[in-house]
Amino acid sequence: TGDVNLALSNAGQYTVTNTISAAGCNPASATAPIKINAVQNPAFSYSSPTFCTSGNNPLPIITGNGGGTFSASPAGLTFVSTATGEINLANSSLNTYVITYTTPGPCPSSATFTITLTSIPTAGLNYPLSPFCSNAPVSPPVVTGTNTGTFSAPGGLSINSTTGAVDPGQSTAGSYYVKNTVLPAGGCPMVIDSALVTITALPDASFHYQDPAYCSISPNPLPIMAPGAKVGSFSSSAGLNLNAA
């Protein structure tokens, strides 16, 4: 019948001959050219499935046939050029996109690659209750950034590296900068922010009287403060006439 099975044929240029045998006559024949083109290879990829919108514009890696065009779905992703596939990160919206590359023909084909665009994180934090007295309860930070990373501080400050909570009772008095470190992820760089935390020592109120007992006719005794102790406000049980100052 001369019917060509394209799917089972190799790409290439061919000459097809139709030959007719007739009794008493020389065979008659005629030829016709036919060309079978291979389906083009649309293979491509990007260097990562995730890009940060603050990063450098990525270009695709085309391992198949070049010269095609790029498109993306859904709307929101902007190409510098649909011919090169370079993505304009700064002008694209945060989302997940399916990028399609279609070869130019004569036997075009297409392939897809999925990417996600993310924004650069922020790591802001503060401790609104600082300064803390050394007998204050454990206090977590208020994270004002978009990401919670790993918390750290200089030696002397007791801190939970996961939550950032400070334990004043286990810390040495002083001032410290607590860091919130968000590691690189999704094509975005590492981000670090810090907050000042101050731990103050509990004041020493230690004192004693020179004698454990007095006669009511004795001179009025004054308290003897321990070295470094501070005078506050004095009080006692009922019945003792005491100068509170």
Side-chain angles (χ1 to χ4, degrees):
T1 65
D3 184 16
V4 177
N5 189 324
L6 294 174
L8 296 181
S9 298
N10 295 326
Q13 181 73 48
Y14 299 91
T15 298
V16 178
T17 302
N18 178 23
T19 302
I20 302 174
S21 297
C25 298
N26 293 325
S29 64
T31 62
I34 184 172
K35 183 180 181 181
I36 299 177
N37 292 311
V39 175
Q40 290 181 317
N41 179 6
F44 82 103
S45 64
Y46 285 87
S47 60
S48 171
T50 309
F51 293 97
C52 191
T53 53
S54 63
N56 297 323
N57 292 341
L59 279 164
I61 304 165
I62 301 174
T63 54
N65 293 96
T69 56
F70 291 84
S71 60
S73 178
L77 185 139
T78 301
F79 289 103
V80 175
S81 168
T82 56
T84 66
E86 181 181 355
I87 299 172
N88 189 327
L89 293 174
N91 289 343
S92 297
S93 302
L94 304 180
N95 207 342
T96 296
Y97 299 93
V98 176
I99 298 177
T100 301
Y101 173 64
T102 304
T103 60
C107 293
S109 186
S110 62
T112 61
F113 190 88
T114 301
I115 68 167
T116 299
L117 301 187
T118 61
S119 62
I120 189 168
T122 56
L125 75 159
N126 64 70
Y127 291 84
L129 299 181
S130 179
F132 300 101
C133 189
S134 59
N135 66 344
V138 174
S139 180
V142 174
V143 178
T144 57
T146 58
N147 291 67
T148 297
T150 300
F151 296 90
S152 60
L157 183 70
S158 177
I159 186 170
N160 185 307
S161 62
T162 302
T163 66
V166 170
D167 186 350
Q170 299 298 317
S171 300
T172 303
S175 293
Y176 307 87
Y177 275 102
V178 175
K179 291 183 179 180
N180 178 21
T181 302
V182 180
L183 296 177
C188 294
M190 180 172 65
V191 176
I192 300 175
D193 206 343
S194 62
L196 181 65
V197 171
T198 299
I199 307 293
T200 57
L202 186 67
D204 185 4
S206 302
F207 72 100
H208 68 281
Y209 288 93
Q210 183 172 345
D211 297 318
Y214 293 90
C215 277
S216 57
I217 59 173
S218 299
N220 293 338
L222 280 168
I224 300 171
M225 306 303 298
K230 297 181 181 300
V231 174
S233 177
F234 292 89
S235 61
S236 75
S237 52
L240 184 70
N241 190 308
L242 180 73
N243 185 321

